Amino acid sequence: CRRFETSNNNNNNNETKMLIPLDGLTVYFPYDYVYPEQYDYMYALKQTLDLNDGGHCLLEMPTGTGKTVSLLSLIVSYQLSKPQIGKLIYCTRTVQEMDKVMQEIKRVFAYIDAQRQHVQKRKNLCVCLSARRNLCIHEHVSQFDECSKVDSLCRNRTASWIRNTPNVASSALCEYYEGFEAIGTDAGLEGIYSLNDLKELGRRRKWCPYFLSRQLITIANIVVYNYQYMLDPKISNLVSKDMSKDAIVVFDEAHNIDNICIEALSVKLDRRTLHGASNNLTHLNKAVNDMQRTDAQRLQQEYQALVQGLAANALLENNDV
């Protein structure tokens, strides 16, 4: 292990952490030792961030050697030294991995705050975003486990055409979404919010955690969400289209990206779906044929009426002569 300057500013905690000088940057590392692999990892990452045109890098570390905290410590320290740097977008594959990232982020910022007690703190906002199923707190909707079911029930309570229906019953709406809508775009939040933190905040203030998170990711300086929000065009065009071009994008466990891309751009068809599509095409074909037959009859009737009208006019003219 490499050891650098250590500090212990928390009297209630005997754990020692480290300030690591790295190529002109002070890295706030919230553990009392750093592996050589971690140091090399952070050094390579800093070299990439220093490129003027925004470089790309592919880094690999052995399992269990602390790549997550190394990456977060380096990038957060880099953001502190260069406030103009873009936000960090950290993409994970599972909710469990997202929870782990949020724990490390909290650890890094707790150490930074302890070290910078006499320095004006930069306003930080770190939020997670996951599917409605993982963030919903509505008493009825949240009891379902199927993602598509939760999405459907949520839309049935939050869609504008439902909410704008005259005399709509309040029980048909979502009180948490209505509470979120009431605050507009000024939630005035800062801090670090995991999925559970967002749900607790939502229950306390009667705000929808999902739509709150959707709003906060546009202003947060650290965003943690699933691969699909960045890679799936159907989702990214709705969620990530307003992300700044100078953002630092991290794909954790990046060896899964190819499978995620294949899944995002693939369509799964089973026999039931094909049977339903076939029935719909049969009904549509029948409706088109009926319409054509009706239109043909109507056109023939109009044509006969026109011919009869012309013949009648010709007969009248002959009689007049």
Side-chain angles (χ1 to χ4, degrees):
C1 299
R2 302 188 185 189
R3 293 191 177 273
F4 300 91
E5 178 185 347
T6 61
S7 62
N8 186 1
N9 289 337
N10 190 342
N11 295 329
N12 297 323
N13 185 358
N14 293 323
E15 184 180 7
T16 303
K17 286 102 173 174
M18 307 179 67
L19 296 174
I20 302 176
L22 191 152
D23 193 25
L25 174 69
T26 298
V27 178
Y28 295 87
F29 194 78
Y31 292 95
D32 62 350
Y33 60 88
V34 57
Y35 294 118
E37 294 85 355
Q38 290 176 305
Y39 184 89
D40 295 339
Y41 185 96
M42 291 188 289
Y43 182 78
L45 183 57
K46 182 181 182 298
Q47 287 184 313
T48 304
L49 295 177
D50 284 341
L51 296 176
N52 293 329
D53 57 349
H56 305 277
C57 64
L58 178 63
L59 301 175
E60 183 178 10
M61 282 181 63
T63 301
T65 50
K67 68 177 181 298
T68 301
V69 69
S70 301
L71 186 146
L72 292 172
S73 296
L74 187 284
I75 294 181
V76 171
S77 300
Y78 200 89
Q79 287 180 321
L80 287 175
S81 67
K82 298 184 178 183
Q84 74 278 9
I85 199 72
K87 69 171 65 186
L88 166 61
I89 303 176
Y90 198 108
C91 303
T92 67
R93 185 172 58 91
T94 66
V95 172
Q96 290 76 16
E97 292 171 356
M98 184 181 299
D99 290 337
K100 178 184 176 182
V101 171
M102 296 305 294
Q103 291 174 6
E104 294 291 3
I105 289 176
K106 289 181 178 181
R107 187 187 297 271
V108 170
F109 273 103
Y111 177 48
I112 290 175
D113 290 342
Q115 287 295 305
R116 296 166 62 93
Q117 293 180 359
H118 304 294
V119 179
Q120 184 177 2
K121 293 182 179 180
R122 171 185 175 182
K123 181 178 179 180
N124 289 301
L125 178 60
C126 174
V127 294
C128 284
L129 176 62
S130 188
R132 288 176 171 87
R133 179 188 59 184
N134 299 322
L135 282 169
C136 181
I137 57 176
H138 188 276
E139 291 74 10
H140 173 66
V141 178
S142 61
Q143 65 181 320
F144 297 96
D145 294 328
E146 187 179 353
C147 194
S148 59
K149 178 72 172 180
V150 174
D151 289 348
S152 177
L153 292 174
C154 175
R155 293 189 183 99
N156 288 341
R157 293 175 178 271
T158 59
S160 58
W161 63 271
I162 293 288
R163 300 174 62 239
N164 295 332
T165 302
N167 302 321
V168 61
S170 59
S171 59
L173 306 177
C174 175
E175 62 173 315
Y176 299 102
Y177 182 79
E178 297 302 318
F180 162 75
E181 282 288 289
I183 68 171
T185 59
D186 187 19
L189 296 178
E190 59 179 286
I192 304 170
Y193 295 91
S194 65
L195 296 180
N196 287 332
D197 294 333
L198 287 169
K199 293 167 77 171
E200 291 176 6
L201 177 67
R203 293 188 184 98
R204 189 167 64 250
R205 299 196 182 183
K206 298 296 182 182
W207 294 347
C208 171
Y210 173 76
F211 285 99
L212 176 64
S213 182
R214 283 274 301 268
Q215 173 183 296
L216 293 179
I217 63 172
T218 62
I219 59 175
N221 57 303
I222 299 179
V223 175
V224 182
Y225 59 25
N226 193 275
Y227 283 4
Q228 278 83 353
Y229 291 109
M230 181 63 68
L231 297 177
D232 190 336
K234 301 184 296 295
I235 303 176
S236 62
N237 287 338
L238 295 174
V239 176
S240 303
K241 64 179 181 179
D242 294 327
M243 294 296 186
S244 58
K245 301 299 183 182
D246 60 347
I248 303 171
V249 180
V250 174
F251 289 99
D252 195 11
E253 302 291 339
H255 56 275
N256 296 295
I257 285 183
D258 55 346
N259 292 331
I260 298 297
C261 291
I262 292 172
E263 180 181 344
L265 299 176
S266 299
V267 177
K268 296 181 180 179
L269 299 175
D270 54 21
R271 186 176 297 275
R272 180 181 177 183
T273 302
L274 292 173
H275 182 69
S278 178
N279 287 339
N280 289 336
L281 288 173
T282 300
H283 292 316
L284 179 60
N285 185 59
K286 182 178 180 302
V288 170
N289 290 334
D290 291 342
M291 186 180 299
Q292 289 177 338
R293 187 164 47 252
T294 300
D295 289 346
Q297 292 174 352
R298 184 183 301 125
L299 181 61
Q300 184 65 29
Q301 292 172 356
E302 293 177 354
Y303 172 74
Q304 292 296 335
L306 177 61
V307 170
Q308 293 173 2
L310 292 174
N313 287 334
L315 181 61
L316 290 175
E317 291 177 357
N318 291 333
N319 291 336
D320 291 341
V321 174

